[in-house]
Amino acid sequence: MAYVYDDQNIFAKILRGEIPNTTVRETEHTLAFADIYPQAPHHVLVIPKGAYVTADHFANEASEAEIVDFWRTFGSICTELGVTPDSAAGYRIISNAGEDGVQEVPHFHLHILAGRGLGRMLNPV
Ligand code: AMP
């Protein structure tokens, strides 16, 4: 099944400059910005500029240049925030996908959460 991208999603609007964001880092293929409802002292969203719905969509269809740029940007943000386990207590990355993943914004994004104890990975259901 083909991935269907909704270009009216809020991150597409951020990428087009239609709504503001607090930019942390911008590169040729990647934008990182502060989450508007931070759930930890550090809560940064990293998104590709390309139209990808989920992490698997990005992994399957993005170019090598986009993938390298995305992960290098992620790594440099962790270093800049000082959250890597060699300099701080660490962090968590999350990428929600689809209904079961409770994805609210259908543009692939990585949450970087850090700056407090983050508890166990999942709550029991
Ligand atoms: P998800 O449930 O993984 O799709 O998460 C979407 C995230 O986007 C949530 O953490 C929201 O707080 C965040 N968010 C929604 N609108 C904005 C916005 N305009 N600027 C920054 N973050 C946003």
Side-chain angles (χ1 to χ4, degrees):
M1 196 179 88
Y3 297 100
V4 178
Y5 182 81
D6 171 13
D7 68 5
Q8 293 306 306
N9 78 76
I10 200 150
F11 294 170
K13 291 179 181 177
I14 285 177
L15 286 166
R16 289 194 295 266
E18 294 168 10
I19 60 171
N21 75 92
T22 303
T23 298
V24 171
R25 181 74 56 88
E26 182 167 11
T27 67
E28 182 180 1
H29 297 296
T30 308
L31 179 68
F33 52 97
D35 195 292
I36 202 166
Y37 299 118
Q39 296 184 35
H42 297 296
H43 189 168
V44 175
L45 300 172
V46 188
I47 70 172
K49 291 184 176 177
Y52 301 103
V53 184
T54 54
D56 60 288
H57 186 193
F58 183 70
N60 284 328
E61 296 190 3
S63 68
E64 291 185 11
E66 290 175 299
I67 291 170
V68 169
D69 186 84
F70 182 87
W71 286 106
R72 292 286 192 221
T73 300
F74 157 70
S76 71
I77 291 167
C78 291
T79 302
E80 189 173 288
L81 291 176
V83 301
T84 59
D86 64 326
S87 59
Y91 60 89
R92 179 171 296 153
I93 57 174
I94 297 173
S95 186
N96 299 314
E99 191 178 336
D100 282 356
V102 196
Q103 181 179 10
E104 292 173 11
V105 181
H107 181 112
F108 167 45
H109 51 282
L110 200 63
H111 297 257
I112 305 174
L113 297 151
R116 66 169 174 83
L118 295 164
R120 293 183 65 83
M121 186 169 65
L122 293 174
N123 293 322
V125 289

